Amino acid sequence: MKRMGIVLGAALALGACQPQRAEPEERMETREAEPNLLSKYTTVRLTTDTSALTDAQRQMIPLLIEACRQMDEVFWQEAFGDREQLLSSIEEDGLRRFAEINYGPWDRLDGNRPFLPEYGPKPEGANFYPRDMSKEEFEAAAAGAAGEALRSLYTLVRRDESEGLQPVAYHEAFRQQHQRAARLLREAAALAEDAGLRRYLELRAQALETDQYQQSDLAWMDMKENTLDVVIGPIETYEDQLFGYKAAHEGYVLVKDREWSGRLARYAALLPGLQRGLPVPDEYKREQPGTDSDLNAYDVIYYAGDCNAGSKTIAINLPNDEQVQLQKGTRRLQLKNAMRAKFDEILVPIAQQLIDPQQLEQVTFDAFFANTMFHEVAHGLGIKETINGRGTVRQALREQASALEEGKADVLGLYMVSRLADSGELGDASLEDNFVTFMASIFRSIRFGASSAHGRANLVRFNFFQEQGAFTRDPQSGHYRVDFEKIRQAADALSEKILRLQGDGDYQGVAGLMERYAVMGPDLEADLERLASAGIPVDVVFEQGVDVLGL
């Protein structure tokens, strides 16, 4: 009975950990900055050709979208607290919209700087932990009997009646949203014509009610022929920048592009050979990636929660469960319509400003698509368990794990495309296009800011590549030119460094890498300011939903 009281009390007090307003400050500066804040984003409509879908599939889409909306509600509580309390306190329409985009009063593209002066810095642990909790207090509590539950991906940490730290299971803390989403997934499952999709939806509904996700992850891996897909639940740990323990809620609704997917299927079979060729000693590549991995292209028609906050995801590599990865691999989902929007609206204008005119024509969508795809494939390479008994890489590197993993995927993606070109697997595609497009993409991702794992990863790579001579910068024009031989060498060198850090579970080594390379030099800062002055957006926001789709 006491346990129930603690859990319900904690669940009802979810908003109690959210940041409180600081002393009011003059707000004129924020009002003047408002247009510049919103200009960081450009609006894109998320659509697909629904005429090719069956009647049952068209009926499923609103159910899946509504289930994902429940994840949006939960993510607000994880990222900030009471959504309505915040939004109702903001008088200016533009600032209110900016708060919606950021799921709180902190600018995710500016290192989580508070854009409402009455709020202080964003808590590193977001709203997953008590605001007054220190790392030392958590570590002491986690050394006790409740340690596994406190560190779980699927618990909040709250104070109990004696002010100690108490884990609260997600399915209890967010019972209303989880149960509603589970009901909607079951309704969609009843309409599903594909048996694999039906089984996944039923198991995912069950997982939301129990916080046991592995069986639904395995079922998701077994799906091969489904046209509709949904990624839903607590998945990525980026939002927890205190420890990187807590998974945040998100949702995507997807429609498979069968033509583009057909082009990609053959690459998954090449993973074992690519793993054997990694530029590290054998002990760092002893794991064999699952051979059930697949690659597919999709139109994404709905984003919710974590993936919709600040910079938007354009490709997915899941599941994150290391046991599932070793058993079956992962699925890589390329979000082609969102990718195309970012290429046209952001990457091309960036290249026109910063890339040497003689290499500008080598910035292409096909290369951007391939680089993004191989980034996702590369998440499956390397090592998941440390070689020295420190547990999984994610456990050993804690809050540093996400940024280093994104950096690994980027450089190993470049390693992969280079090796595939050498072996003739890329056909007529130009490897030089991949290199120049990769360079332009570094600037795009650095603009996501220091609070983003992708932003930090790209900043590390920019400085490491510059140190290795992978590119040159003309001081007069500010244009960058890729050295094709040295960029390959730099990618291999950084790949080796990252894979060793992961395999060793070297937390201090990763911290040192970030301290040395995740810094903004004056030339780069000036070049990024040129992009802002040119009015180039940093990322996209969406018009999305049933009305946009015409359903």
Side-chain angles (χ1 to χ4, degrees), residues 11 40 125 238 249 265 315 320 358 393 465 479 500 504 516 547:
K40 293 182 178 184
Y238 304 127
H249 286 66
N320 286 329
Q358 293 184 356
V393 172
F465 277 20
H479 289 148
R500 284 180 178 272
D504 294 339
R516 177 175 176 180
D547 291 342

PDB file of all heavy atoms in Angstrom, residues 11 40 125 238 249 265 315 320 358 393 465 479 500 504 516 547:
ATOM      1  N   ALA A  11       3.606  10.354  -9.499  1.00  0.00           N
ATOM      2  CA  ALA A  11       3.001  10.538 -10.821  1.00  0.00           C
ATOM      3  C   ALA A  11       2.182  11.802 -10.877  1.00  0.00           C
ATOM      4  O   ALA A  11       2.197  12.535 -11.863  1.00  0.00           O
ATOM      5  CB  ALA A  11       2.136   9.325 -11.159  1.00  0.00           C
ATOM      6  N   LYS A  40      14.764  30.933 -37.840  1.00  0.00           N
ATOM      7  CA  LYS A  40      15.650  29.771 -37.833  1.00  0.00           C
ATOM      8  C   LYS A  40      15.004  28.570 -38.512  1.00  0.00           C
ATOM      9  O   LYS A  40      15.695  27.610 -38.844  1.00  0.00           O
ATOM     10  CB  LYS A  40      16.029  29.398 -36.400  1.00  0.00           C
ATOM     11  CG  LYS A  40      16.899  30.419 -35.680  1.00  0.00           C
ATOM     12  CD  LYS A  40      17.247  29.931 -34.287  1.00  0.00           C
ATOM     13  CE  LYS A  40      18.152  30.933 -33.569  1.00  0.00           C
ATOM     14  NZ  LYS A  40      18.572  30.432 -32.239  1.00  0.00           N
ATOM     15  N   GLY A 125      19.291  17.209 -16.740  1.00  0.00           N
ATOM     16  CA  GLY A 125      18.459  16.012 -16.719  1.00  0.00           C
ATOM     17  C   GLY A 125      17.038  16.260 -17.139  1.00  0.00           C
ATOM     18  O   GLY A 125      16.167  15.408 -16.907  1.00  0.00           O
ATOM     19  N   TYR A 238      18.843  11.252 -25.954  1.00  0.00           N
ATOM     20  CA  TYR A 238      19.494  12.556 -26.129  1.00  0.00           C
ATOM     21  C   TYR A 238      19.013  13.591 -25.113  1.00  0.00           C
ATOM     22  O   TYR A 238      19.780  14.456 -24.685  1.00  0.00           O
ATOM     23  CB  TYR A 238      19.223  13.106 -27.535  1.00  0.00           C
ATOM     24  CG  TYR A 238      19.614  12.213 -28.675  1.00  0.00           C
ATOM     25  CD1 TYR A 238      18.700  11.886 -29.674  1.00  0.00           C
ATOM     26  CD2 TYR A 238      20.899  11.685 -28.778  1.00  0.00           C
ATOM     27  CE1 TYR A 238      19.049  11.074 -30.740  1.00  0.00           C
ATOM     28  CE2 TYR A 238      21.256  10.871 -29.840  1.00  0.00           C
ATOM     29  CZ  TYR A 238      20.324  10.569 -30.818  1.00  0.00           C
ATOM     30  OH  TYR A 238      20.674   9.761 -31.864  1.00  0.00           O
ATOM     31  N   HIS A 249      10.051  10.059 -25.123  1.00  0.00           N
ATOM     32  CA  HIS A 249       8.952   9.597 -25.963  1.00  0.00           C
ATOM     33  C   HIS A 249       8.911  10.336 -27.295  1.00  0.00           C
ATOM     34  O   HIS A 249       9.140  11.546 -27.356  1.00  0.00           O
ATOM     35  CB  HIS A 249       7.622   9.792 -25.236  1.00  0.00           C
ATOM     36  CG  HIS A 249       7.390   8.806 -24.129  1.00  0.00           C
ATOM     37  ND1 HIS A 249       8.159   8.786 -22.990  1.00  0.00           N
ATOM     38  CD2 HIS A 249       6.471   7.806 -23.993  1.00  0.00           C
ATOM     39  CE1 HIS A 249       7.719   7.815 -22.183  1.00  0.00           C
ATOM     40  NE2 HIS A 249       6.709   7.212 -22.770  1.00  0.00           N
ATOM     41  N   ALA A 265      18.090  -2.288 -50.791  1.00  0.00           N
ATOM     42  CA  ALA A 265      18.041  -3.563 -50.081  1.00  0.00           C
ATOM     43  C   ALA A 265      19.377  -4.295 -50.079  1.00  0.00           C
ATOM     44  O   ALA A 265      19.743  -4.951 -49.092  1.00  0.00           O
ATOM     45  CB  ALA A 265      16.960  -4.446 -50.691  1.00  0.00           C
ATOM     46  N   ALA A 315      16.494  10.461 -40.738  1.00  0.00           N
ATOM     47  CA  ALA A 315      16.725   9.026 -40.913  1.00  0.00           C
ATOM     48  C   ALA A 315      16.690   8.373 -39.539  1.00  0.00           C
ATOM     49  O   ALA A 315      17.016   9.001 -38.530  1.00  0.00           O
ATOM     50  CB  ALA A 315      18.061   8.757 -41.595  1.00  0.00           C
ATOM     51  N   ASN A 320      17.406   0.383 -30.507  1.00  0.00           N
ATOM     52  CA  ASN A 320      18.622   0.680 -29.763  1.00  0.00           C
ATOM     53  C   ASN A 320      19.054  -0.461 -28.862  1.00  0.00           C
ATOM     54  O   ASN A 320      20.188  -0.460 -28.365  1.00  0.00           O
ATOM     55  CB  ASN A 320      18.432   1.946 -28.919  1.00  0.00           C
ATOM     56  CG  ASN A 320      18.436   3.200 -29.754  1.00  0.00           C
ATOM     57  OD1 ASN A 320      19.102   3.272 -30.783  1.00  0.00           O
ATOM     58  ND2 ASN A 320      17.675   4.204 -29.338  1.00  0.00           N
ATOM     59  N   GLN A 358      34.095  25.817 -57.747  1.00  0.00           N
ATOM     60  CA  GLN A 358      34.528  24.733 -58.631  1.00  0.00           C
ATOM     61  C   GLN A 358      34.051  23.364 -58.152  1.00  0.00           C
ATOM     62  O   GLN A 358      34.069  22.388 -58.909  1.00  0.00           O
ATOM     63  CB  GLN A 358      36.051  24.740 -58.767  1.00  0.00           C
ATOM     64  CG  GLN A 358      36.585  25.958 -59.504  1.00  0.00           C
ATOM     65  CD  GLN A 358      38.084  25.908 -59.716  1.00  0.00           C
ATOM     66  OE1 GLN A 358      38.765  24.985 -59.249  1.00  0.00           O
ATOM     67  NE2 GLN A 358      38.615  26.894 -60.432  1.00  0.00           N
ATOM     68  N   VAL A 393      28.673   0.055 -24.287  1.00  0.00           N
ATOM     69  CA  VAL A 393      29.265   1.366 -24.574  1.00  0.00           C
ATOM     70  C   VAL A 393      28.381   2.472 -24.008  1.00  0.00           C
ATOM     71  O   VAL A 393      28.867   3.442 -23.417  1.00  0.00           O
ATOM     72  CB  VAL A 393      29.455   1.538 -26.095  1.00  0.00           C
ATOM     73  CG1 VAL A 393      29.873   2.964 -26.431  1.00  0.00           C
ATOM     74  CG2 VAL A 393      30.484   0.546 -26.614  1.00  0.00           C
ATOM     75  N   PHE A 465      39.073  17.239 -38.895  1.00  0.00           N
ATOM     76  CA  PHE A 465      39.363  17.232 -40.332  1.00  0.00           C
ATOM     77  C   PHE A 465      40.245  18.419 -40.727  1.00  0.00           C
ATOM     78  O   PHE A 465      41.135  18.290 -41.564  1.00  0.00           O
ATOM     79  CB  PHE A 465      38.059  17.256 -41.131  1.00  0.00           C
ATOM     80  CG  PHE A 465      37.415  15.905 -41.309  1.00  0.00           C
ATOM     81  CD1 PHE A 465      37.717  14.849 -40.479  1.00  0.00           C
ATOM     82  CD2 PHE A 465      36.494  15.703 -42.322  1.00  0.00           C
ATOM     83  CE1 PHE A 465      37.123  13.606 -40.641  1.00  0.00           C
ATOM     84  CE2 PHE A 465      35.894  14.465 -42.506  1.00  0.00           C
ATOM     85  CZ  PHE A 465      36.214  13.412 -41.659  1.00  0.00           C
ATOM     86  N   HIS A 479      35.466  30.448 -48.836  1.00  0.00           N
ATOM     87  CA  HIS A 479      35.006  29.201 -49.458  1.00  0.00           C
ATOM     88  C   HIS A 479      35.887  28.030 -49.025  1.00  0.00           C
ATOM     89  O   HIS A 479      37.106  28.183 -48.862  1.00  0.00           O
ATOM     90  CB  HIS A 479      35.044  29.316 -50.986  1.00  0.00           C
ATOM     91  CG  HIS A 479      33.994  30.230 -51.525  1.00  0.00           C
ATOM     92  ND1 HIS A 479      34.174  30.990 -52.670  1.00  0.00           N
ATOM     93  CD2 HIS A 479      32.732  30.512 -51.090  1.00  0.00           C
ATOM     94  CE1 HIS A 479      33.086  31.699 -52.906  1.00  0.00           C
ATOM     95  NE2 HIS A 479      32.204  31.431 -51.971  1.00  0.00           N
ATOM     96  N   ARG A 500      38.031   3.018 -30.744  1.00  0.00           N
ATOM     97  CA  ARG A 500      38.831   2.648 -29.567  1.00  0.00           C
ATOM     98  C   ARG A 500      38.213   3.215 -28.283  1.00  0.00           C
ATOM     99  O   ARG A 500      38.149   2.525 -27.259  1.00  0.00           O
ATOM    100  CB  ARG A 500      40.268   3.135 -29.731  1.00  0.00           C
ATOM    101  CG  ARG A 500      41.110   2.312 -30.693  1.00  0.00           C
ATOM    102  CD  ARG A 500      42.520   2.866 -30.792  1.00  0.00           C
ATOM    103  NE  ARG A 500      43.391   2.098 -31.649  1.00  0.00           N
ATOM    104  CZ  ARG A 500      44.127   1.049 -31.260  1.00  0.00           C
ATOM    105  NH1 ARG A 500      44.077   0.652 -29.991  1.00  0.00           N
ATOM    106  NH2 ARG A 500      44.900   0.413 -32.113  1.00  0.00           N
ATOM    107  N   ASP A 504      36.893   0.740 -25.389  1.00  0.00           N
ATOM    108  CA  ASP A 504      37.517   0.834 -24.066  1.00  0.00           C
ATOM    109  C   ASP A 504      36.555   1.385 -23.012  1.00  0.00           C
ATOM    110  O   ASP A 504      36.887   1.366 -21.821  1.00  0.00           O
ATOM    111  CB  ASP A 504      38.754   1.737 -24.124  1.00  0.00           C
ATOM    112  CG  ASP A 504      39.873   1.144 -24.974  1.00  0.00           C
ATOM    113  OD1 ASP A 504      39.865  -0.085 -25.184  1.00  0.00           O
ATOM    114  OD2 ASP A 504      40.723   1.922 -25.448  1.00  0.00           O
ATOM    115  N   ARG A 516      38.693  19.155 -26.486  1.00  0.00           N
ATOM    116  CA  ARG A 516      39.685  19.629 -27.455  1.00  0.00           C
ATOM    117  C   ARG A 516      39.055  20.070 -28.773  1.00  0.00           C
ATOM    118  O   ARG A 516      39.459  21.088 -29.344  1.00  0.00           O
ATOM    119  CB  ARG A 516      40.707  18.530 -27.721  1.00  0.00           C
ATOM    120  CG  ARG A 516      41.739  18.911 -28.777  1.00  0.00           C
ATOM    121  CD  ARG A 516      42.800  17.843 -28.930  1.00  0.00           C
ATOM    122  NE  ARG A 516      43.721  18.186 -30.018  1.00  0.00           N
ATOM    123  CZ  ARG A 516      44.760  17.429 -30.388  1.00  0.00           C
ATOM    124  NH1 ARG A 516      45.014  16.301 -29.739  1.00  0.00           N
ATOM    125  NH2 ARG A 516      45.547  17.805 -31.385  1.00  0.00           N
ATOM    126  N   ASP A 547      -5.584  16.604 -41.816  1.00  0.00           N
ATOM    127  CA  ASP A 547      -6.080  17.636 -42.734  1.00  0.00           C
ATOM    128  C   ASP A 547      -5.104  17.872 -43.877  1.00  0.00           C
ATOM    129  O   ASP A 547      -5.520  18.048 -45.035  1.00  0.00           O
ATOM    130  CB  ASP A 547      -6.327  18.938 -41.973  1.00  0.00           C
ATOM    131  CG  ASP A 547      -7.498  18.836 -41.003  1.00  0.00           C
ATOM    132  OD1 ASP A 547      -8.306  17.904 -41.167  1.00  0.00           O
ATOM    133  OD2 ASP A 547      -7.585  19.664 -40.091  1.00  0.00           O
TER     134      ASP A 547
END
